[in-house]
Amino acid sequence: MKSFKSLMTVGISSIIFLAACGNDGAEDESAGNGESGNYSEEMEYTITGIEPGAGITESAHNTLEAYDNLEGWELQESSTAGMMAELQDAIENEDPIVVTGWTPHHKFIQYDLKMLDDPKAEMGEVESVHTLTRLGLEEDMPNAYQLLDNFNWEIEDLEQVMFDAEESDFETAAASWLEDNQDKVDEWTEGVEEVDGKEIELASMPWESEKAAAAVIEQVFIDLGYDIAVTEVDPAILFESIASGSADATISPWLPSTQGHLYEDYEGEFVDLGENLVGAQNGFVVPEYMDIDSIEDLEPKE
């Protein structure tokens, strides 16, 4: 009888052990659901994009062709608002998603996101935003020139203004940011004297990041006594207006890629005061909870 009980004990222990092993295997398989291959399948091998005519959309199509591991993938073109809605829905459900994105943009303040590494640089290199002035501005308006030369801030600063503007407007968001960052404003205005109604015209571009930046620098000029006008134009007109002297300055151009061809066309006909913001970039963007870091982590469609 003792022998029989011992055999029963060994048998039951074996069953429990095997069952435990089986559970471990299931857990391992479940843990594997976060791998890039499963992400790719869950997303139906689709990148969520924006407007068909946008430069980033063209870059995204080129990226799909350039990477062997993106064979079979498609770009779902829509709109910026549509992309943001898809991104929000995915994040609320912790679903995987890849969107065409760029920084600076308020979505990086709103959500925990990361830009995937792009070893082939098909989505473009990391860029800087430059300050350009017309020839002769330093002699005509030395204080305005000094302010523009001092102007420099971080990606996070601009994204905060953009984020706050979602709930108000760019002027209100700019005023709030300036109030909270007086130390930075003091750096910009160091050595700059106030004026009495001196007129100055800045050229800008009709995009959210440029609207936010223009609203900030406009308010600083107003506080210094300037009568400032900010005119939004397309990039080609912006460069032409600075080169011809019909506008005094701009803080908008992305270089060396986005507006690099225009910079080369007019080089020598303006003054480049250098970078006012570093780190602007286009790319494929994913939520932080996705365990991938590079475009090459995505899997081809089988």
Side-chain angles (χ1 to χ4, degrees), residues 47-62 75-83 100 102:
I47 307 293
T48 301
I50 61 169
E51 291 82 0
I56 195 172
T57 300
E58 181 181 353
S59 296
H61 280 297
N62 293 339
L75 178 67
Q76 177 183 297
E77 297 176 356
S78 103
S79 65
T80 301
M83 176 273 289
T100 56
W102 59 94

Side-chain angles (χ1 to χ4, degrees), residues 7-298:
L7 287 172
M8 286 289 292
T9 302
V10 171
I12 292 170
S13 298
S14 299
I15 292 169
I16 293 172
F17 175 77
L18 290 171
C21 289
N23 287 337
D24 285 345
E27 288 173 2
D28 289 343
E29 185 177 350
S30 174
N33 285 339
E35 293 177 358
S36 58
N38 289 314
Y39 285 149
S40 301
E41 187 175 351
E42 285 183 61
M43 293 183 292
E44 298 181 347
Y45 308 96
T46 300
I47 307 293
T48 301
I50 61 169
E51 291 82 0
I56 195 172
T57 300
E58 181 181 353
S59 296
H61 280 297
N62 293 339
T63 301
L64 294 184
E65 294 179 5
Y67 283 89
D68 292 340
N69 62 299
L70 295 182
E71 185 177 352
W73 282 70
E74 295 182 357
L75 178 67
Q76 177 183 297
E77 297 176 356
S78 103
S79 65
T80 301
M83 176 273 289
M84 288 297 295
E86 292 280 349
L87 180 62
Q88 179 177 339
D89 184 62
I91 289 174
E92 287 176 352
N93 294 287
E94 289 200 13
D95 291 332
I97 188 171
V98 180
V99 303
T100 56
W102 59 94
T103 182
H105 192 273
H106 63 80
K107 62 181 174 291
F108 285 91
I109 295 288
Q110 189 172 357
Y111 305 116
D112 290 328
L113 304 171
K114 58 186 175 183
M115 193 167 290
L116 295 179
D117 291 339
D118 178 11
K120 296 180 183 290
E122 289 293 330
M123 294 296 291
E125 302 284 356
V126 177
E127 298 195 82
S128 300
V129 184
H130 282 231
T131 300
L132 310 180
T133 77
R134 64 170 173 82
L135 297 176
L137 182 68
E138 184 176 15
E139 293 75 26
D140 297 341
M141 289 188 272
N143 287 295
Y145 184 91
Q146 185 63 57
L147 171 59
L148 290 164
D149 198 22
N150 291 347
F151 176 63
N152 186 279
W153 58 345
E154 307 296 328
I155 285 279
E156 293 77 13
D157 296 322
L158 178 50
E159 289 179 340
Q160 188 63 58
V161 178
M162 296 171 70
F163 177 72
D164 292 343
E166 290 292 297
E167 299 297 327
S168 56
D169 54 59
F170 289 110
E171 290 72 23
T172 302
S176 177
W177 185 90
L178 288 166
E179 183 178 350
D180 294 340
N181 293 272
Q182 188 58 49
D183 56 337
K184 191 157 290 189
V185 179
D186 291 341
E187 292 177 6
W188 298 346
T189 57
E190 184 177 357
V192 179
E193 298 178 4
E194 294 186 8
V195 300
D196 186 14
K198 186 77 171 177
E199 293 183 359
I200 186 169
E201 182 165 351
L202 297 189
S204 186
M205 292 183 280
W207 301 315
E208 287 187 354
S209 57
E210 282 64 39
K211 287 176 181 286
V216 168
I217 200 67
E218 179 182 19
Q219 187 59 59
V220 177
F221 269 109
I222 290 172
D223 291 344
L224 288 169
Y226 283 88
D227 181 7
I228 182 172
V230 177
T231 304
E232 294 180 356
V233 293
D234 289 335
I237 298 175
L238 180 145
F239 272 85
E240 192 280 330
S241 65
I242 299 297
S244 68
S246 59
D248 294 302
T250 181
I251 58 169
S252 298
W254 285 34
L255 301 169
S257 300
T258 304
Q259 277 94 44
H261 61 295
L262 294 169
Y263 186 100
E264 291 176 0
D265 288 345
Y266 291 97
E267 192 166 8
E269 299 180 51
F270 55 77
V271 177
D272 184 352
L273 296 180
E275 303 161 341
N276 63 60
L277 181 144
V278 177
Q281 188 175 11
N282 294 325
F284 285 172
V285 174
V286 302
E288 280 282 0
Y289 56 73
M290 289 179 64
D291 188 24
I292 55 174
D293 297 299
S294 171
I295 291 174
E296 292 182 329
D297 292 334
L298 299 169

